[in-house]
Amino acid sequence: MSRSDLRWPQWTAVALIAVLVFIWPVPRTISLRDLLLLLLLCWGGYEVYRHRAQPLPWRALRMPLGFFLALTAWILVVALLLSTEPTWALGEIKGQWLKACIALVVGGLVGATTFNNDFMRRLILMVVGAMLLLHVLYVDYEGLRLILANLNMRRIAGLTEGSDKSNYLTNMLLCLLLAEALVRMITRCRFLPLSNSALAAMAVVAFFSVYVEGMRNGIVELVSVFGVGFLLVAMFTSRRRRAIMVSAMLVLVSVSLTLGYLSLRKDERWQSVLETVPIALDVENPAWINEGLPQPELESGQKVDWSNYMRIARMRAGVELVREYPLGVGFGRNAFGHAVEMKYGLRTSHSHSGLVDLAVGTGIPGTLLWLGFLGSLFVLGWRRFRQTHDYYALVLLLLVTGYSVRMVLDSIIRDHMLQMFLFLAAFLAVIVAGQLRGGQRETPVPPA
């Protein structure tokens, strides 16, 4: 199907997706996000119903869908039967998990509407990438402005609430670009209508954004994603071309490590991490709960860096809380804070680790179901990519890898970050599952 075959409802849907992706991370846009999700839900549901003669690939999706439905049911069980604060837990489910479920359904419906419509699925990914690029360009503009004005470089947040949120978008864009680069390395064809020069320029823009955002955890995520890319190139390129391709991937990994080193140089927090670890593991000292409490000291006599100390200590405390509440205290953004108050009588918020927050809130069963969901998405992408080196399968692989690493280090199983991930993961998973079912292979765009 070509550009001329799309009619106004499809163009309208693409425009709604573009606006949604752009405003998703922008503060004070919740009502608009919800409205756009509702409109896309209605459009996608109608389109799937209208083409109901073409069945959905339920068989290929049974594992991720089964894990997600089981997790949703368990979250409700914990809230209704196990939580000591059911009203709070149910409120969080309504405000957080329900919206995440809707985002997942919308992504799946949008993916289903692109069956036999290669142009539209490419267009949607291009639009998603373009909206992410706009955010990245604004971050770069802010960074360049500070550099040229000889002002102290701070971590740039762009249009989002914090540099961690903007870095989440930057790394998502890099996943899209890396997938395209890997497909070109392995198949010598391109799936997105971008020249090599345009692809390289976008990568440079994104890497500069990573630098000015200065997020340590973002560097760890990038190295993990590029590491997976390195393995794929080593596995799927011919022996004659492998040395060149592996060298190219090593360059990308080196760029990520260099950004990490530069971040270390300009971020004093790195310098005391190792000394802080044994101090932070002593969670009996409640100083990690609130910065206002007397803080431990390093050997130099200086106070511990709050970020280093608090993150490590809260991860350690999270393990203890899961041992005490193995079935969870109730799903919520601040489930960790509620469990801390129950044990220590002091208030705090989240743990700064999405996985710890989820484990404390939903217990060991919920954590295993969530990991099963992510693992089944990874396997789905792997099966398809191993067969045909498909672009959408590779994006799914890299997206799940990056999110899985980042959720251990940052609290991202919440708010727009969870919604964006589930929307894109469902969109890609439905496309990949449909191709597995039908044995289809994407038609690559020949080299320019």
Side-chain angles (χ1 to χ4, degrees):
M1 184 173 287
S2 65
R3 179 181 185 277
S4 60
D5 294 321
L6 294 190
R7 299 184 178 181
W8 71 265
Q10 282 112 350
W11 286 112
T12 303
V14 171
L16 291 176
I17 292 171
V19 177
L20 176 61
V21 172
F22 182 79
I23 63 104
W24 232 327
V26 177
R28 295 178 291 279
T29 60
I30 295 177
S31 297
L32 181 55
R33 296 178 211 166
D34 294 346
L35 175 61
L36 291 170
L37 276 173
L38 180 61
L39 291 174
L40 285 169
L41 179 67
C42 294
W43 173 80
Y46 171 74
E47 286 293 309
V48 170
Y49 175 78
R50 192 163 66 91
H51 296 94
R52 60 189 179 277
Q54 181 173 315
L56 294 174
W58 297 115
R59 182 176 177 81
L61 290 171
R62 67 185 184 279
M63 288 296 288
L65 189 59
F67 277 117
F68 192 83
L69 290 175
L71 174 58
T72 301
W74 176 251
I75 287 173
L76 288 171
V77 167
V78 174
L80 293 172
L81 303 179
L82 302 175
S83 176
T84 59
E85 301 176 90
T87 302
W88 159 74
L90 289 172
E92 285 291 293
I93 291 171
K94 178 182 177 182
Q96 286 287 314
W97 193 251
L98 178 60
K99 290 183 181 180
C101 291
I102 293 173
L104 179 135
V105 172
V106 170
L109 290 174
V110 171
T113 63
T114 66
F115 287 163
N116 303 319
N117 193 337
D118 181 38
F119 174 77
M120 185 168 181
R121 70 179 62 162
R122 290 175 194 262
L123 179 63
I124 289 172
L125 270 187
M126 287 286 289
V127 163
V128 170
M131 296 303 103
L132 295 174
L133 181 62
L134 288 178
H135 279 278
V136 168
L137 287 172
Y138 186 77
V139 169
D140 288 355
Y141 161 75
E142 287 288 307
L144 283 172
R145 185 175 61 83
L146 291 176
I147 292 172
L148 294 176
N150 291 320
L151 297 175
N152 290 330
M153 177 67 72
R154 65 178 188 274
R155 290 185 290 170
I156 307 297
L159 299 173
T160 69
E161 289 183 317
S163 55
D164 57 333
K165 310 296 189 302
S166 62
N167 182 250
Y168 178 73
L169 304 178
T170 303
N171 285 5
M172 191 176 289
L173 175 62
L174 280 168
C175 284
L176 297 178
L177 299 179
L178 177 62
E180 178 66 18
L182 290 174
V183 167
R184 294 185 187 191
M185 289 180 186
I186 295 171
T187 67
R188 299 189 182 185
C189 291
R190 55 188 174 95
F191 278 73
L192 298 179
L194 294 171
S195 67
N196 290 336
S197 299
L199 195 66
M202 291 172 69
V204 169
V205 165
F207 277 123
F208 182 73
S209 179
V210 170
Y211 170 69
V212 298
E213 285 158 346
M215 292 304 301
R216 299 175 294 178
N217 297 336
I219 299 294
V220 176
E221 177 192 353
L222 270 189
V223 171
S224 302
V225 170
F226 285 134
V228 170
F230 174 86
L231 293 176
L232 293 176
V233 167
M235 292 175 64
F236 294 112
T237 51
S238 64
R239 184 175 299 178
R240 186 175 62 181
R241 300 177 62 235
R242 189 170 299 160
I244 298 175
M245 298 299 101
V246 169
S247 298
M249 285 305 303
L250 282 175
V251 169
L252 291 176
V253 173
S254 299
V255 168
S256 299
L257 292 174
T258 301
L259 290 173
Y261 172 73
L262 293 174
S263 175
L264 183 151
R265 288 285 302 275
K266 73 173 184 176
D267 191 342
E268 295 179 355
R269 296 177 302 169
W270 285 94
Q271 300 171 13
S272 60
V273 170
L274 294 179
E275 189 179 349
T276 304
V277 171
I279 300 173
L281 292 179
D282 177 19
V283 294
E284 295 306 315
N285 180 353
W288 52 269
I289 298 176
N290 191 317
E291 193 173 5
L293 297 173
Q295 297 297 300
E297 295 181 351
L298 302 171
E299 290 184 4
S300 63
Q302 291 182 328
K303 300 291 186 183
V304 292
D305 178 83
W306 169 247
S307 178
N308 291 337
Y309 172 66
M310 171 268 299
R311 285 177 177 272
I312 299 170
R314 292 189 180 190
M315 281 195 180
R316 176 69 177 88
V319 174
E320 292 300 317
L321 290 170
V322 172
R323 289 177 60 183
E324 294 192 27
Y325 307 102
L327 298 181
V329 301
F331 174 84
R333 288 169 294 179
N334 297 324
F336 177 82
H338 283 251
V340 167
E341 187 173 8
M342 290 165 59
K343 180 175 181 178
Y344 295 95
L346 297 171
R347 279 189 172 274
T348 188
S349 56
H350 54 81
S351 68
H352 289 269
S353 167
L355 189 61
V356 171
D357 291 336
L358 185 73
V360 173
T362 65
I364 295 173
T367 305
L368 293 177
L369 290 170
W370 175 251
L371 293 177
F373 170 68
L374 294 178
S376 61
L377 287 176
F378 187 92
V379 171
L380 178 65
W382 167 254
R383 287 177 55 205
R384 175 64 180 174
F385 184 76
R386 184 181 60 184
Q387 292 176 1
T388 61
H389 303 155
D390 177 64
Y391 174 75
Y392 303 100
L394 183 53
V395 175
L396 181 61
L397 272 175
L398 299 179
L399 186 69
V400 170
T401 299
Y403 191 87
S404 299
V405 172
R406 192 64 174 268
M407 74 179 183
V408 177
L409 305 170
D410 279 326
S411 186
I412 63 171
I413 308 180
R414 56 187 291 156
D415 302 324
H416 71 274
M417 296 163 290
L418 176 62
Q419 293 174 32
M420 291 183 76
F421 169 72
L422 290 178
F423 172 83
L424 283 176
F427 171 73
L428 295 165
V430 167
I431 291 174
V432 171
Q435 292 168 346
L436 280 171
R437 177 196 62 186
Q440 304 170 16
R441 176 166 185 163
E442 280 302 312
T443 305
V445 180

